[in-house]
Amino acid sequence: MPSVAEKRTSIEELTSYFPLTFPIPTPTTHPDLITTQDLHREEDLLRNPDSFRAWWTAINTMREGYVAQQKLESATSKLPEEVTNVLGPLASPLARLSLQRLTYIYEAALKQFPGSFKLWKSYLTMRMSFVLGKPVAKKRAGGRKKLPEMKDALEEAVEYLDEYETCLDPIVGWEEWKALIATFERALMWLPKLPRLWLMYINIFFHPRCPSLLSYTHARRTFDRALRTLPPSLHSRIWTQYLLFAERKGGETTVAVYRRYLAVDPSLTERYTALLLSPSNSAPRPLEAAKLLLSLARKAAKGQYTSPEAKSPYQLLEDWIEVVEKFPEEVGLDVDDTDTSNEAIAKADADAEAAKAEASSNNGSLVRMAGPPIPVTADGKPTAPYSEDEDPSSLRKLNIEDIIEKDGLQVYKDQAGRLWTGLATYWIKRGEFDRAKETFERGFKAVLTIRDFTQIYDSYGEFHESLISALVAALEASEGDEDVTELEEEVDQRVKELEDLADRRPFLANDVTLRRNPNDVQEWEKRVALWGDNDEEVIKTYTKAIETINPRKASANFHRLFANFAKFYEEGGASGEAESDLNSARKILEKATKVNFKNVDDLAEIWCEWAEMELRHDNYDEAIRVMQRATAIPKNTKISYHDHSLSSQARLFKSLKLWSFYVDLEESIGSVQSAKAVYDKILELRIANAQIIVNYAAFLEENNYFEDSFKVYERGVELFTFPVSFEIWNIYLSKFVKRYGGSKLERARDLFEQALEKCPPKSCKPLFLMYAQLEEDYGLAKRSMAIYERATQAVADEDKFEMFTVYIAKATANFGLPATRPIYERALEVLPDRQTAEMCLRFAALERKLGEIDRARAICAHASQFCDPRVNPRFWSEWNTFEIETGSEDTFREMLRIKRSVQAQFNTEASYLSAQALGARQGGHKAEDNTPPADAMAAADKQANGPAFVAASGAKQRVDEAPQAKNDEEIQISDDEDM
């Protein structure tokens, strides 16, 4: 291992190689610069000193020769590692000699062409490669933006910052580093306006081994000179490197450089604040960062700033809160200073309000008073006044409470939970626990949503738990008896506070809901339920609810609040142990009757509840008096029940709910006359519904006032139209017939005629049946048949088939089968096609019973035109049976011919699809096809009843399975059958 003296000798020996390029080497000072092989080149350059091409060719030839010799040397000989680490690219004698030769020829060329950018750039690149080392090439992803934003430009500059292989040691090769800097200075003297040269020069200062004499003060001055020299349009390229340089240096350098840049472009303020708070920064500045973030949040809220990170104004304010929570001592005022500042701010606000009030003129318009001038921008727009809270150069700390109140809680009401917890956390970090508790309690009283409340409650609980944990840890570590006693008392107190907080949670959550909507009746009921058996608090809650709720804005069931409050006194408190206080309950209900509820029914419910309470305590007369007061009819009875511009008390007398309760009360405990009087008032006010009519009539009937009950029905049918009056007529007529039977037949007929006169077709069928039954029982059969005849014409189409069925049955019973023929004939003319087939089958069966086979066959032939064989197989089956039993071969052939013609008639796409759908629902077709024929006639019928169309995919298969008959009209008849 070499000794220290040997190392010193080797370093001195390496240092002796330098300087290589200063003074500039020439053939006079360095005879080995030119060899005999270079004489031809020198002579050519002497003859053509103004030819740039000759100089450029000579330079490229020399550089290519150096590269070739370097490759050959690296393959044949290997330098010591110690020398390579120190000298880097100049470790070999060939490299040092080549540097001198290239320097000589470049300098000679620059004497001829001092303003050539191409020559200077090539020269400087060559000098940098011998000092800084060989640069590491980096691949760029995609194309570069021509003019990127400064934020993107900085990120790109960091990503693509140049890296180098082994470089010249800055101590041993200091002279060469200095000569390189001097060369750049000479180049910029000739070409000061070219940004590329400045960027190459600046790039030296980012080298990881750049000497400190160059990378600090000299670098800053170079950046400043570049900004002063280049035009403003090119400053962004310099600022990108300058800001990156400042970020790497940190400390005062970062602050000074960024402050200069932010004065021109504030878009990097967020990046600057992150640098101020960075742990790698030698001197974090949280106060300055907090003021900058506060300024950004305020400007963003006014629309004067847009975050490059796409942060909203609230997110910027939240970043400020995080800084306050992290650095409470450095950013905010203490408790005493905060109180003093709050008093001063309150006084200033009061003075401003007073001045504003004085400034108003007599007519209410504002006038301009004397005061400080308002600063404006160049285009005449007013600027924000100066605020020391936003000045980063000011050392005054911030009033955190006032800022969160004005810039947070008054603006971002939906984020109140986070703002209150942030303020409380600030006081906790400062050790002001009492102030933190006060802040949490203020937050509980201010928030309006359960989300914000939960956020504050959880933070408050965590604060208590962490405080208890800290006290327990201190208790375990304490040794003195006095200290232990004090700590135990404090732990007990904190635990009690935590338990008290848990007990208060339902009440606090209910407070939040009531603050959001004080007119929410259900939440007030929950509040009452929370107090349980605490009668005093229940009374206070009911009283406060009644005073707070606006009746016109209250939620549903506001009247239940009064009813429950009255029941509370009636039942002797929440526990029921106290005495019943009916007088207090009556006072509450009396007060409720004067409340202008949104709905009249709510007021009616109050009166009904009052009457029910009196009934529960056997005060029957008082209950009647209460309902008499409630149903008092004013002089003007033309008031509309639905006129909401009037109070509910003015419309109460038309509440059917109230009158229904009153009439029930009179029926139960009053007399018949009093109940009739109430019913009559209801009818006079024209508020009765059909149920009231029915109830009134039933009440009279129960008390044997039959004629009066019929009069009530008469009034009911006059009041209402169909379909409501149909129900009344139905009950009225049935009651009348049941009461008088045939004794008042003419009157009953008149009633039925009146009912049927205006009855719509869809409702008249039951009335016709009842009318006809009356004639059958007490009148003439002929009149009954006439009624059925009228019914078949008057009822709705869907009821006609049933009515004809009844008509035919009655005619058969009264006059025999032959009398039904005209009825059947008219039914076939009136009924729709889908019902004609069924009626024809019945008609044919009738004719067959009467022995008229030909008429029956003609009827079937008539009905066949309405019956698709695929949809109505039953009709064709019965006709088939009929022909087998009563027909001949000719009639059977005729039936089959008609069937095929009808099937062809219905054989359309729509009909086919409907037949398929109906067949799928009924399952009749498939069952018939799979059932073996009962006899030969059925087999022939089945063969003739094949599908009219065959699917293309199954045509071949069907032909193979069933050979085609020679004669389509041929009927297959069994040999054993007797024709």
Side-chain angles (χ1 to χ4, degrees):
M1 183 176 181
S3 61
V4 177
E6 292 175 350
K7 286 184 178 180
R8 186 180 299 110
T9 302
S10 61
I11 292 175
E12 291 176 355
E13 181 181 355
L14 295 176
T15 307
S16 63
Y17 295 150
F18 304 100
L20 294 174
T21 58
F22 183 80
I24 297 172
T26 62
T28 306
T29 58
H30 296 74
D32 54 349
L33 286 181
I34 299 177
T35 63
T36 55
Q37 297 175 356
D38 300 331
L39 292 176
H40 179 71
R41 181 199 68 201
E42 292 294 325
E43 291 174 356
D44 185 51
L45 292 175
L46 287 174
R47 285 194 298 269
N48 302 296
D50 296 333
S51 176
F52 182 82
R53 183 174 182 180
W55 285 100
W56 188 252
T57 302
I59 291 172
N60 285 336
T61 302
M62 187 176 290
R63 291 181 66 176
E64 291 172 1
Y66 163 66
V67 173
Q69 292 177 10
Q70 187 184 31
K71 289 182 179 180
L72 182 62
E73 184 184 44
S74 61
T76 56
S77 61
K78 185 177 183 182
L79 296 172
E81 186 177 354
E82 295 80 3
V83 177
T84 305
N85 292 337
V86 175
L87 299 183
L90 297 175
S92 65
L94 174 62
R96 292 191 290 272
L97 179 59
S98 299
L99 173 60
Q100 290 178 332
R101 288 179 175 177
L102 289 170
T103 302
Y104 158 68
I105 193 169
Y106 268 113
E107 290 290 346
L110 287 170
K111 285 182 181 180
Q112 302 297 327
F113 307 100
S116 173
F117 169 72
K118 182 176 182 181
L119 200 56
W120 274 113
K121 183 175 181 295
S122 178
Y123 180 33
L124 294 172
T125 304
M126 181 274 296
R127 292 288 296 270
M128 289 174 66
S129 65
F130 279 100
V131 176
L132 304 182
K134 182 180 179 181
V136 178
K138 291 185 177 180
K139 293 183 179 180
R140 293 182 179 271
R144 298 179 60 184
K145 293 181 181 179
K146 187 176 181 181
L147 291 173
E149 296 290 338
M150 184 55 68
K151 170 180 170 292
D152 300 331
L154 279 173
E155 294 176 355
E156 185 178 357
V158 172
E159 184 178 358
Y160 296 108
L161 195 64
D162 290 341
E163 297 179 4
Y164 301 89
E165 296 179 357
T166 55
C167 69
L168 177 61
D169 186 79
I171 298 176
V172 174
W174 163 244
E175 294 296 336
E176 284 305 314
W177 280 88
K178 190 165 60 172
L180 176 61
I181 297 300
T183 305
F184 268 103
E185 294 291 342
R186 285 195 297 121
L188 292 172
M189 181 183 66
W190 287 102
L191 302 170
K193 300 296 184 180
L194 295 180
R196 185 66 235 170
L197 295 182
W198 285 104
L199 293 174
M200 291 173 64
Y201 191 7
I202 290 169
N203 197 34
I204 298 175
F205 306 135
F206 289 94
H207 196 283
R209 300 197 64 185
C210 180
S212 57
L213 292 176
L214 301 177
S215 62
Y216 284 92
T217 303
H218 178 75
R220 284 190 289 104
R221 291 176 178 173
T222 302
F223 278 113
D224 294 340
R225 282 194 295 128
L227 292 173
R228 287 197 300 270
T229 305
L230 293 174
S233 60
L234 299 175
H235 281 190
S236 60
R237 302 178 67 181
I238 303 300
W239 272 117
T240 303
Q241 304 297 323
Y242 201 178
L243 294 175
L244 187 59
F245 164 80
E247 291 179 7
R248 289 187 162 227
K249 297 307 176 184
E252 292 294 337
T253 303
T254 303
V255 175
V257 174
Y258 260 94
R259 281 183 178 178
R260 286 177 57 192
Y261 181 77
L262 294 179
V264 180
D265 179 16
S267 63
L268 292 182
T269 307
E270 295 177 48
R271 186 184 183 96
Y272 177 43
T273 56
L275 292 173
L276 292 176
L277 300 172
S278 175
S280 60
N281 193 357
S282 56
R285 296 168 177 258
L287 180 59
E288 182 177 353
K291 290 188 174 183
L292 288 172
L293 285 173
L294 179 61
S295 176
L296 293 181
R298 288 177 175 175
K299 290 178 180 177
K302 298 175 183 177
Q304 301 173 356
Y305 173 77
T306 302
S307 171
E309 303 291 339
K311 291 184 178 180
S312 65
Y314 170 72
Q315 288 176 318
L316 293 172
L317 185 65
E318 191 173 17
D319 292 342
W320 174 80
I321 293 176
E322 291 176 359
V323 174
V324 170
E325 292 175 345
K326 189 175 181 180
F327 304 96
E329 300 287 345
E330 295 87 345
V331 174
L333 300 173
D334 58 13
V335 174
D336 296 335
D337 293 339
T338 299
D339 292 337
T340 304
S341 177
N342 289 338
E343 293 175 1
I345 293 171
K347 183 178 179 182
D349 293 341
D351 294 341
E353 290 293 332
K356 186 176 180 181
E358 292 177 1
S360 60
S361 61
N362 293 333
N363 58 2
S365 61
L366 295 178
V367 296
R368 172 71 177 167
M369 303 296 291
I374 299 175
V376 296
T377 59
D379 54 358
K381 295 182 179 180
T383 60
Y386 171 78
S387 175
E388 198 171 359
D389 292 343
E390 300 178 23
D391 185 4
S393 61
S394 174
L395 298 179
R396 194 189 76 173
K397 295 183 179 179
L398 303 175
N399 185 344
I400 307 301
E401 280 190 354
D402 181 67
I403 293 172
I404 288 183
E405 174 68 27
K406 293 182 177 178
D407 295 293
L409 295 172
Q410 293 182 6
V411 179
Y412 309 106
K413 301 182 184 297
D414 58 335
Q415 300 293 337
R418 174 68 182 95
L419 296 172
W420 281 111
T421 54
L423 180 57
T425 304
Y426 164 74
W427 290 119
I428 293 171
K429 292 288 185 69
R430 292 189 69 100
E432 302 291 345
F433 299 138
D434 293 337
R435 190 69 168 222
K437 289 171 56 181
E438 180 183 345
T439 302
F440 279 124
E441 294 294 339
R442 287 172 57 200
F444 282 144
K445 296 177 181 179
V447 295
L448 299 176
T449 63
I450 295 298
R451 179 177 65 89
D452 293 334
F453 165 76
T454 304
Q455 199 169 1
I456 297 176
Y457 181 83
D458 293 343
S459 298
Y460 199 4
E462 291 176 3
F463 161 66
H464 277 297
E465 292 173 0
S466 60
L467 194 58
I468 292 172
S469 300
L471 290 174
V472 171
L475 183 62
E476 293 176 353
S478 61
E479 297 179 357
D481 295 338
E482 296 181 358
D483 296 339
V484 170
T485 304
E486 293 179 358
L487 288 174
E488 288 178 349
E489 292 177 355
E490 188 169 1
V491 169
D492 293 339
Q493 181 181 356
R494 299 298 180 186
V495 171
K496 185 178 179 182
E497 290 178 356
L498 181 59
E499 293 175 351
D500 180 63
L501 178 64
D503 294 338
R504 289 164 54 207
R505 190 186 193 287
F507 293 93
L508 294 172
N510 184 259
D511 286 338
V512 172
T513 309
L514 290 177
R515 272 196 302 274
R516 185 175 67 248
N517 183 13
N519 300 309
D520 192 339
V521 177
Q522 287 71 28
E523 290 300 327
W524 283 108
E525 293 285 4
K526 292 179 183 177
R527 183 78 172 187
V528 171
L530 289 175
W531 288 114
D533 296 338
N534 191 337
D535 293 346
E536 184 177 354
E537 292 296 335
V538 169
I539 293 173
K540 290 180 180 179
T541 303
Y542 272 123
T543 305
K544 186 177 180 181
I546 293 171
E547 294 173 353
T548 304
I549 295 175
N550 184 347
R552 307 302 295 179
K553 298 180 180 179
S555 61
N557 298 324
F558 179 38
H559 64 284
R560 297 304 311 167
L561 200 64
F562 291 93
N564 294 336
F565 194 12
K567 190 172 290 186
F568 169 81
Y569 280 107
E570 179 190 357
E571 295 177 352
S575 60
E577 297 177 356
E579 294 183 1
S580 178
D581 189 356
L582 289 182
N583 291 330
S584 297
R586 291 189 183 104
K587 290 179 181 179
I588 294 169
L589 294 173
E590 181 70 32
K591 184 178 181 180
T593 59
K594 296 178 173 60
V595 175
N596 186 16
F597 293 98
K598 286 191 297 184
N599 300 320
V600 179
D601 286 346
D602 294 344
L603 181 58
E605 284 284 350
I606 293 294
W607 287 104
C608 295
E609 286 286 342
W610 192 349
E612 287 182 353
M613 182 187 72
E614 299 295 349
L615 290 175
R616 285 194 292 270
H617 295 275
D618 300 332
N619 298 327
Y620 303 115
D621 294 338
E622 185 65 25
I624 294 293
R625 281 194 292 270
V626 168
M627 295 311 299
Q628 288 174 348
R629 284 182 57 195
T631 56
I633 301 176
K635 294 181 179 179
N636 182 14
T637 59
K638 296 182 179 180
I639 294 174
S640 174
Y641 178 78
H642 301 287
D643 186 0
H644 294 281
S645 62
L646 300 175
S647 65
S648 57
Q649 284 77 8
R651 296 177 287 153
L652 179 64
F653 72 97
K654 285 196 173 183
S655 173
L656 185 58
K657 177 183 290 188
L658 185 69
W659 283 103
S660 298
F661 182 86
Y662 186 19
V663 78
D664 289 344
L665 188 63
E666 288 290 354
E667 287 184 14
S668 302
I669 62 177
S671 62
V672 175
Q673 297 303 322
S674 62
K676 287 178 63 178
V678 175
Y679 273 119
D680 290 337
K681 287 182 180 180
I682 295 175
L683 296 177
E684 289 174 5
L685 292 173
R686 303 183 70 84
I687 60 174
N689 56 15
Q691 188 63 48
I692 292 293
I693 299 296
V694 173
N695 292 344
Y696 188 12
F699 170 73
L700 293 174
E701 185 179 356
E702 290 175 1
N703 291 277
N704 298 324
Y705 291 90
F706 299 105
E707 283 299 327
D708 290 343
S709 69
F710 294 150
K711 291 179 181 179
V712 170
Y713 284 124
E714 291 285 351
R715 296 179 66 180
V717 296
E718 292 177 0
L719 288 174
F720 301 101
T721 59
F722 285 92
V724 177
S725 62
F726 167 76
E727 301 296 337
I728 301 176
W729 275 116
N730 202 7
I731 299 173
Y732 179 23
L733 294 174
S734 60
K735 294 282 188 182
F736 189 88
V737 172
K738 181 179 179 182
R739 170 69 179 166
Y740 294 110
S743 60
K744 296 185 178 183
L745 187 59
E746 290 300 326
R747 182 179 173 186
R749 288 170 179 168
D750 290 341
L751 291 176
F752 275 107
E753 292 297 336
Q754 291 178 27
L756 292 171
E757 183 178 359
K758 298 180 181 180
C759 185
K762 63 180 181 179
S763 303
C764 63
K765 185 181 73 171
L767 298 181
F768 273 114
L769 294 176
M770 193 185 304
Y771 191 8
Q773 189 64 40
L774 172 69
E775 292 293 346
E776 286 185 28
D777 294 341
Y778 307 106
L780 300 174
K782 186 177 180 180
R783 295 182 63 91
S784 174
M785 293 299 104
I787 293 172
Y788 283 121
E789 178 69 21
R790 285 175 56 193
T792 57
Q793 300 174 5
V795 297
D797 291 343
E798 57 268 18
D799 296 330
K800 286 184 177 180
F801 184 84
E802 184 179 354
M803 187 55 68
F804 271 111
T805 303
V806 175
Y807 186 16
I808 291 169
K810 295 296 183 180
T812 303
N814 292 325
F815 303 106
L817 290 175
T820 60
R821 279 177 176 165
I823 302 175
Y824 275 113
E825 291 174 357
R826 201 167 64 80
L828 297 181
E829 297 175 357
V830 173
L831 291 177
D833 293 347
R834 58 187 176 84
Q835 296 177 344
T836 301
E838 178 66 25
M839 190 60 70
C840 285
L841 288 177
R842 296 184 182 183
F843 193 8
L846 168 67
E847 294 295 348
R848 186 178 177 184
K849 288 181 180 178
L850 296 175
E852 298 291 343
I853 304 300
D854 292 337
R855 289 177 60 88
R857 184 175 292 108
I859 292 170
C860 290
H862 171 73
S864 64
Q865 59 183 322
F866 311 114
C867 300
D868 185 353
R870 293 164 300 185
V871 179
N872 296 312
R874 175 172 167 270
F875 170 78
W876 295 99
S877 176
E878 292 193 9
W879 193 3
N880 181 72
T881 305
F882 170 75
E883 292 295 346
I884 291 174
E885 294 176 355
T886 63
S888 63
E889 181 179 355
D890 294 334
T891 59
F892 195 84
R893 286 177 182 275
E894 182 64 18
M895 184 270 292
L896 293 181
R897 186 191 65 77
I898 294 173
K899 184 175 183 180
R900 285 195 298 273
S901 64
V902 170
Q903 186 169 350
Q905 176 186 352
F906 281 98
N907 198 13
T908 62
E909 183 178 0
S911 178
Y912 183 76
L913 293 176
S914 63
Q916 292 291 335
L918 187 60
R921 287 196 300 269
Q922 296 176 352
H925 244 120
K926 187 174 180 181
E928 273 191 4
D929 292 342
N930 294 334
T931 305
D935 51 26
M937 259 324 167
D941 177 48
K942 184 175 180 180
Q943 181 181 356
N945 195 21
F949 292 100
V950 180
S953 59
K956 184 176 179 181
Q957 180 180 357
R958 290 179 179 272
V959 170
D960 294 339
E961 291 177 356
Q964 185 178 3
K966 294 181 180 179
N967 186 3
D968 294 336
E969 300 295 334
E970 183 180 358
I971 302 176
Q972 300 295 331
I973 301 176
S974 175
D975 295 337
D976 298 333
E977 187 173 353
D978 185 12
M979 295 301 296

